[in-house]
Amino acid sequence: MADPWQNAMDYAVAVARKAGAVIRHALQNDMMIMCKSSSVDLVTKTDQKVEELILSSIKEKFPTHSFIGEESVSAGQPCVLTESPTWIIDPVDGTTNFVHGFPFVAVCIGFAVSKELVFGVVYSCMEDKMYTGRTGKGAFCNGEPLHVSKQTDIRQCLVISEFGSNREPQVVSKIFSTMKKILCIPVHGVRSIGSAAINMCLVASGSAEAYYEMGIHCWDIAAASVIVKEAGGVLMDAEGGPLDLMSRQVVAANNRTIAERIAKEIEAFPAKRDDAPQGDTPRN
Ligand code: IPD
Ligand code: CA
Ligand code: CA
Ligand code: CA
């Protein structure tokens, strides 16, 4: 059956490539670094410029569509997923990596219709890896099909997680407590790459069996979710239920057995949903 959104996906790939070139160029030049919710929640002029580039390019071609972009939400735009065709954008996933020249930075463009993800594009621009996933049509990296690992024994798994940017001691304690429980299963190892989207693409590629994080946002995971699913992986929340993009938590794994085992160890911490009404509390 013809895919009505193929054109949109091809366009997203071209826009992501252009955005990646802007990021690579910015690395060689002066960066203007600013802070958002705290001194470790960084944003640069490049994050804003790249989001503007992506938004204006897509709006020009699809003027009636809706948009959720990290930097627009930070500037006060709503973060609500409606039935309308919606682009979910993280212009620079791995801003801290970008600031330090740590070479894992991704442009993420996800697209949903009637609240269902249709495709996802993750361009790891320092590695020049273009990951794509289209619901029902598979996942690819630079055109090569992706498949998750076949491992079902948790003790032979490589697990990825992150520390995020919330440094409240009780939140950090829960992160370490979960990580300790997972390490002591024991798994082969725990890794931290600094980009939620690249982490998920590593699961989709079979290079790691699982990735989990509490405190992420919908733009961190929307595009990469399609890629994980289409590579044969599973996505769930920390209770083992279906993934809710707005819930600020994700478990992505090669199969249900591994995802459920990881979810069992997670010590959740309360985080304001992405689609909660905006108030005085920062989202971080
Ligand atoms: C962050 C990265 C990081 C993850 C954070 C995200 P940003 O995204 O994906 O790996 O730990 O939770 O916020 O802010 O660099 O786009
Ligand atoms: Ca950010
Ligand atoms: Ca991000
Ligand atoms: Ca970002």
Side-chain angles (χ1 to χ4, degrees):
M1 202 178 72
D3 178 351
W5 296 115
Q6 178 63 45
N7 187 22
M9 179 162 154
D10 292 345
Y11 192 66
V13 167
V15 171
R17 221 180 268 291
K18 224 174 172 183
V22 173
I23 295 170
R24 281 194 302 265
H25 176 78
L27 265 172
Q28 316 299 326
N29 294 278
D30 275 355
M31 305 177 181
M32 196 196 282
I33 305 163
M34 297 158 286
C35 299
K36 293 211 266 193
S37 61
S38 74
S39 65
V40 297
D41 182 8
L42 309 178
V43 64
T44 70
K45 275 277 169 219
T46 305
D47 295 70
Q48 295 166 343
K49 184 175 154 188
V50 171
E51 178 152 325
E52 185 45 44
L53 167 76
I54 298 172
L55 288 181
S56 58
S57 307
I58 298 174
K59 276 181 183 165
E60 194 179 281
K61 200 154 164 100
F62 303 99
T64 60
H65 289 183
S66 300
F67 297 85
I68 295 172
E70 175 176 8
E71 305 314 333
S72 309
V73 172
S74 297
Q77 291 294 309
C79 183
V80 183
L81 187 58
T82 65
E83 299 287 322
S84 152
T86 304
W87 298 77
I88 306 170
I89 293 152
D90 189 342
V92 178
D93 185 46
T95 298
T96 306
N97 288 352
F98 170 68
V99 164
H100 290 268
F102 193 74
F104 300 99
V105 178
V107 177
C108 309
I109 304 179
F111 181 67
V113 177
S114 304
K115 298 188 181 180
E116 297 291 336
L117 288 163
V118 173
F119 65 74
V121 172
V122 172
Y123 181 43
S124 177
C125 60
M126 307 301 293
E127 306 178 284
D128 192 23
K129 287 186 176 170
M130 181 65 74
Y131 294 95
T132 57
R134 198 146 51 100
T135 300
K137 302 264 169 89
F140 299 84
C141 177
N142 291 346
E144 293 296 320
L146 294 178
H147 302 288
V148 293
S149 150
K150 291 190 167 57
Q151 189 56 253
T152 52
D153 179 354
I154 186 74
R155 289 163 306 162
Q156 299 196 43
C157 287
L158 190 60
V159 178
I160 313 178
S161 192
E162 299 283 344
F163 303 96
S165 58
N166 187 330
R167 299 295 156 82
E168 288 165 54
Q170 62 277 29
V171 167
V172 175
S173 293
K174 280 183 186 287
I175 290 171
F176 274 98
S177 171
T178 297
M179 215 174 260
K180 181 179 173 191
K181 287 198 275 172
I182 288 172
L183 267 172
C184 293
I185 287 174
V187 294
H188 273 178
V190 173
R191 299 286 180 269
S192 216
I193 310 294
S195 156
I198 295 177
N199 293 338
M200 291 173 77
C201 290
L202 288 168
V203 172
S205 308
S207 301
E209 277 69 30
Y211 158 67
Y212 71 91
E213 187 170 350
M214 302 295 298
I216 43 87
H217 295 278
C218 59
W219 48 80
D220 296 314
I221 59 168
S225 292
V226 188
I227 296 166
V228 169
K229 212 163 170 196
E230 287 301 312
V234 303
L235 298 151
M236 54 176 63
D237 67 18
E239 282 84 49
L243 175 71
D244 173 350
L245 266 188
M246 299 291 164
S247 70
R248 309 279 316 267
Q249 47 161 295
V250 67
V251 179
N254 59 329
N255 57 52
R256 187 156 291 278
T257 311
I258 300 299
E260 281 172 352
R261 186 67 179 80
I262 297 286
K264 201 174 137 219
E265 305 298 353
I266 292 179
E267 291 191 22
F269 54 81
K272 194 175 171 190
R273 284 180 63 87
D274 273 332
D275 53 4
Q278 291 182 54
D280 298 333
T281 350
R283 289 168 184 275
N284 61 44

